[in-house]
Amino acid sequence: MIDNISILNQLGIKIKTSKFGEQKVKCPKCSHLRKKKAEPCLSVNVEEGWWRCHHCSWKGSVKYYRKETKEDYSIPKVSNFTALSNKMVKYFKERKIKQGTLIRNQITQCDTYMPARNKKVPAIMFNYYRGKELVNIKYRDGNKNFKQEKGAEPILYKLNDVIDTPNIIICEGEIDALSFEEAGILYATSVNMGAPNTNDGNVEKKVECIKNCANVLEDKKKIYIATDSDANGRRLMEELSRRLGRERCYIINYPEDCKDANDVLVKYDSKVLKECYKKAEHYPIEGVFNLDNVKRYMLDNFQNGKPKGLPIGYKVANAHYKLRTSELDIYTGVPGHGKTHFAFQVMINASIIYGWKWGIFSPENYPVGDLYDTLIEMYIGNTSDKESMDRMTIEDYQRGMDFIKDHFFVVYPKEDFSLDSILSKFKYLVLVHGIKGTIIDPFNQLRHDFNGKTEANYLAEILNRIRRFEQINDLKMIVVAHPRVIRKKDDGTYEIPQAYDISGGANWINKADNILCIHRPNPMDFYDTNVDVYVQKIKFQKLTGVPGTFSLSFDRKSSRYLQDGKYPLEELVNINFPKGLDKTEDIPF
């Protein structure tokens, strides 16, 4: 009977050892899925070693653990100590995943409706636990179709194995994580949604599990990324490393004839897979490189082209200025000419079209509620002013709140306005919310400590740190900088400021990728709201544009910048255009 108890425990059947004969306990296959989770529904005879569930009809015996089918029962050719059918055990065995690993990770199976096949089919159940709580279930059928529990919280697979470890491996799929466990490495996890397709602009959903596990990930010393060696896997690798911090990321590479970790385990063995882990390469962000360090990046660019800048929403701007991450943009201009508002417009447009999320440090726009109110007005295209006769409706205001809440995050430390403090908040937003861009507005609101350095040397150091930050985290960084010198003409207008007019001008020119000056040609005329945007520097002209000028007008009622009297994205706002597109062929600008 002791052998019976041992095998029943391995099957997940937790019997009462103080009671012999027949007893009722919870079923490891269905109890966790029922509303009455605590109700015992599995009859077990410990002495005879058989069991039967009165809810899901799962049954078997220790001696003859049999799969229930419409055909006759058959004695398995191999011992099966899992809660899976022989067919499922055979599938995992072919992938070199042992029964002990299946039992340890509480992998189960059921018959479930699979939308892709429009019928109920047998499926593997990858159970996602946080502590003892079953948080999510991912189902996989024999045709490699997947589904997850509706409304479940996305978390990392095998989360309990990495809560207290200094290092972690993040894979693309559950079986890859199990493969590393077969190689003796327990701290391997997996994202729950696999990798994004190369033409999928919205990566956010694929890595939402990172946001929900941020408290576990933020203190890891080394993060090993073990995604598939294809275009989709590389894209997931780039997004994971961007969010988690490339300075602590290591890339696991596989033999050329292997696509993923399980391929290595099946074609070779666990020793070879462990060697892949030991030979992981630090993400190439600094130091000395050879071609192998960037081979995958180069091949990807050769096949798919280098990432080009994305239009900001106005046709007149397309030839001169486009958005591209890992670049530092400087916006300058005479105070009151609309630098901040233009920056907000570009940011909102990028959120509408591409689903970009932003971190904002703009202490001059305080209180924070007023800043958000401004963004809502720009998004909806109407005022929220109670005194206005035709202000937006409460329904529009709430719709604007929903959009802005998802895409804009304000950083406003109570005391510390140092660059370190601001960048640390931005880093948190990269990890938790996946922001794609940031703004520091204006630069002179940062707390500056020269610490004995000259202004030029201090500025060079600060701008280098900002550039380093945006490159490591693959961000679009916008810095609004006021000119120190403002030259007024005899007619009351102003000369167009240049980057040299900003304090420490030469460093701004040397360090920035792009420099824009936002300038009102006739500021003395209240009714003349034309704005000229002087693109004074573009570093990568083949990818983002060429220096030149384009003109827009500012509409005070809608708080928007218009082209030819219209807001080009009006239709996209009104139809709740799906966010997260990287392709712009069908967008009206």
Side-chain angles (χ1 to χ4, degrees):
M1 189 173 68
I2 294 175
D3 288 340
N4 287 355
I5 294 173
S6 175
I7 293 173
L8 290 169
N9 282 333
Q10 289 181 23
L11 288 164
I13 301 173
K14 306 301 182 184
I15 64 167
K16 303 166 186 175
T17 55
S18 60
K19 184 178 179 181
F20 300 107
E22 189 169 335
Q23 56 182 270
K24 270 195 169 184
V25 297
K26 291 192 291 185
C27 175
K29 289 195 69 174
C30 71
S31 289
H32 62 285
L33 301 173
R34 302 180 62 194
K35 290 183 178 179
K36 298 179 179 179
K37 292 181 171 56
E39 181 182 58
C41 57
L42 186 77
S43 292
V44 185
N45 190 305
V46 180
E47 292 175 329
E48 297 180 12
W50 59 260
W51 65 90
R52 178 180 178 85
C53 179
H54 300 283
H55 182 258
C56 69
S57 300
W58 177 49
K59 66 181 180 181
S61 73
V62 169
K63 188 175 181 181
Y64 304 113
Y65 176 40
R66 301 173 294 188
K67 180 181 69 171
E68 188 177 33
T69 65
K70 293 181 179 179
E71 294 81 32
D72 296 334
Y73 295 113
S74 60
I75 299 174
K77 295 180 180 180
V78 295
S79 297
N80 182 350
F81 301 125
T82 72
L84 300 170
S85 68
N86 293 328
K87 186 176 181 180
M88 293 294 188
V89 170
K90 181 183 177 183
Y91 164 77
F92 279 108
K93 185 179 180 181
E94 290 172 349
R95 304 194 76 161
K96 292 192 177 181
I97 307 298
K98 298 173 184 175
Q99 290 187 39
T101 302
L102 302 177
I103 293 169
R104 181 181 178 276
N105 291 281
Q106 303 181 66
I107 294 172
T108 51
Q109 75 176 76
C110 70
D111 288 344
T112 186
Y113 175 78
M114 195 63 71
R117 298 173 68 178
N118 196 27
K119 64 179 180 178
K120 204 171 186 179
V121 296
I124 299 169
M125 299 165 65
F126 294 104
N127 298 302
Y128 282 63
Y129 284 91
R130 180 190 283 124
K132 294 182 179 181
E133 179 189 4
L134 181 64
V135 177
N136 189 15
I137 303 173
K138 185 173 178 180
Y139 302 86
R140 182 198 190 279
D141 71 8
N143 290 1
K144 208 174 180 180
N145 296 307
F146 299 91
K147 76 169 186 178
Q148 299 186 45
E149 283 294 308
K150 187 176 181 180
E153 177 190 0
I155 63 171
L156 289 170
Y157 183 57
K158 283 165 47 67
L159 179 63
N160 289 341
D161 284 340
V162 300
I163 288 176
D164 297 319
T165 61
N167 304 328
I168 184 175
I169 299 174
I170 302 179
C171 303
E172 188 173 320
E174 295 83 0
I175 291 180
D176 291 325
L178 298 175
S179 299
F180 278 106
E181 183 167 328
E182 292 291 350
I185 306 170
L186 291 180
Y187 50 86
T189 66
S190 166
V191 295
N192 69 304
M193 291 287 289
N197 294 324
T198 53
N199 60 351
D200 183 358
N202 190 5
V203 185
E204 176 71 20
K205 191 175 181 181
K206 297 288 186 178
V207 293
E208 193 175 355
C209 58
I210 299 299
K211 169 185 174 181
N212 296 331
C213 298
N215 61 323
V216 174
L217 295 167
E218 58 187 357
D219 294 328
K220 300 300 179 192
K221 293 180 180 178
K222 292 183 179 180
I223 297 175
Y224 294 85
I225 299 179
T227 56
D228 292 3
S229 56
D230 56 17
N232 296 348
R234 287 194 295 275
R235 188 163 188 211
L236 178 61
M237 177 195 73
E238 292 294 337
E239 182 64 16
L240 288 174
S241 63
R242 183 183 80 84
R243 286 187 175 226
L244 297 168
R246 287 169 176 166
E247 68 280 0
R248 58 176 178 158
C249 284
Y250 293 76
I251 309 304
I252 296 178
N253 296 304
Y254 308 117
E256 289 192 3
D257 59 340
C258 296
K259 182 174 74 74
D260 55 32
N262 190 247
D263 256 5
V264 180
L265 185 65
V266 171
K267 292 181 180 179
Y268 296 94
D269 55 34
S270 60
K271 292 181 181 179
V272 174
L273 181 57
K274 197 166 186 177
E275 280 300 307
C276 293
Y277 161 74
K278 289 180 178 179
K279 293 179 180 179
E281 298 177 352
H282 195 283
Y283 191 96
I285 56 175
E286 63 181 354
V288 178
F289 298 88
N290 62 29
L291 190 140
D292 285 339
N293 296 135
V294 292
K295 183 177 179 180
R296 291 204 299 182
Y297 168 82
M298 293 172 65
L299 288 173
D300 190 45
N301 282 348
F302 181 81
Q303 293 168 356
N304 302 307
K306 291 183 179 180
K308 294 185 178 181
L310 301 173
I312 65 171
Y314 301 99
K315 281 185 179 179
V316 292
N318 287 350
H320 303 295
Y321 178 62
K322 293 180 179 179
L323 294 175
R324 193 165 174 260
T325 54
S326 291
E327 290 189 353
L328 170 62
D329 295 1
I330 307 302
Y331 289 9
T332 190
V334 175
H337 280 214
K339 299 184 294 296
T340 297
H341 221 83
F342 178 77
F344 286 169
Q345 185 72 78
V346 169
M347 293 157 66
I348 285 177
N349 289 2
S351 297
I352 292 171
I353 307 167
Y354 314 114
W356 280 21
K357 298 182 179 183
W358 297 85
I360 299 176
F361 172 68
S362 185
E364 290 184 351
N365 287 280
Y366 190 83
V368 173
D370 288 354
L371 191 160
Y372 277 128
D373 191 74
T374 297
L375 294 172
I376 290 170
E377 289 184 333
M378 296 178 71
Y379 175 71
I380 296 297
N382 201 350
T383 182
S384 63
D385 186 0
K386 190 176 181 180
E387 304 301 322
S388 175
M389 295 292 293
D390 58 348
R391 69 171 179 155
M392 71 178 77
T393 64
I394 185 62
E395 290 78 15
D396 279 341
Y397 195 72
Q398 289 173 336
R399 180 165 62 92
M401 290 176 73
D402 289 341
F403 180 85
I404 298 302
K405 177 189 69 175
D406 289 342
H407 294 87
F408 292 87
F409 305 89
V410 176
V411 169
Y412 193 89
K414 290 184 178 179
E415 297 179 358
D416 189 1
F417 278 14
S418 68
L419 182 64
D420 285 340
S421 174
I422 303 306
L423 294 185
S424 70
K425 302 295 189 299
F426 285 161
K427 181 60 183 177
Y428 168 81
L429 293 174
V430 171
L431 171 62
V432 176
H433 295 289
I435 61 170
K436 293 287 285 184
T438 63
I439 184 171
I440 295 176
D441 170 41
F443 181 75
N444 63 6
Q445 281 290 325
L446 290 173
R447 179 173 63 80
H448 298 290
D449 184 0
F450 285 76
N451 198 24
K453 300 183 182 71
T454 65
E455 182 183 36
N457 288 340
Y458 168 78
L459 182 60
E461 179 182 302
I462 287 291
L463 292 178
N464 280 335
R465 288 174 59 197
I466 292 175
R467 280 184 56 81
R468 175 79 171 154
F469 182 82
E470 48 93 352
Q471 289 170 353
I472 288 176
N473 297 286
D474 192 25
L475 294 170
K476 164 60 69 182
M477 177 75 78
I478 297 174
V479 174
V480 176
H482 296 314
R484 180 177 56 181
V485 178
I486 301 173
R487 301 177 183 85
K488 196 169 187 178
K489 301 178 182 177
D490 294 338
D491 61 2
T493 62
Y494 297 90
E495 292 185 6
I496 301 163
Q498 304 293 318
Y500 282 110
D501 295 326
I502 309 171
S503 183
N507 278 309
W508 294 103
I509 294 172
N510 294 335
K511 304 297 182 183
D513 293 293
N514 310 300
I515 299 176
L516 281 68
C517 175
I518 290 80
H519 189 73
R520 288 184 62 190
N522 192 11
M524 307 302 292
D525 186 346
F526 178 83
Y527 298 100
D528 186 349
T529 60
N530 289 323
V531 176
D532 296 329
V533 179
Y534 292 86
V535 182
Q536 298 176 344
K537 176 185 177 181
I538 295 289
K539 184 174 183 179
F540 300 103
Q541 296 188 10
K542 289 184 179 180
L543 303 174
T544 52
V546 296
T549 307
F550 60 90
S551 298
L552 302 170
S553 62
F554 180 71
D555 180 55
R556 291 190 176 92
K557 182 179 181 297
S558 67
S559 294
R560 289 170 169 171
Y561 280 87
L562 310 180
Q563 177 183 316
D564 299 325
K566 298 179 181 179
Y567 180 55
L569 307 186
E570 185 73 56
E571 183 179 352
L572 307 188
V573 174
N574 291 336
I575 65 173
N576 288 322
F577 192 75
K579 314 304 184 293
L581 300 183
D582 283 339
K583 295 188 175 182
T584 57
E585 289 88 344
D586 299 325
I587 297 175
F589 54 79

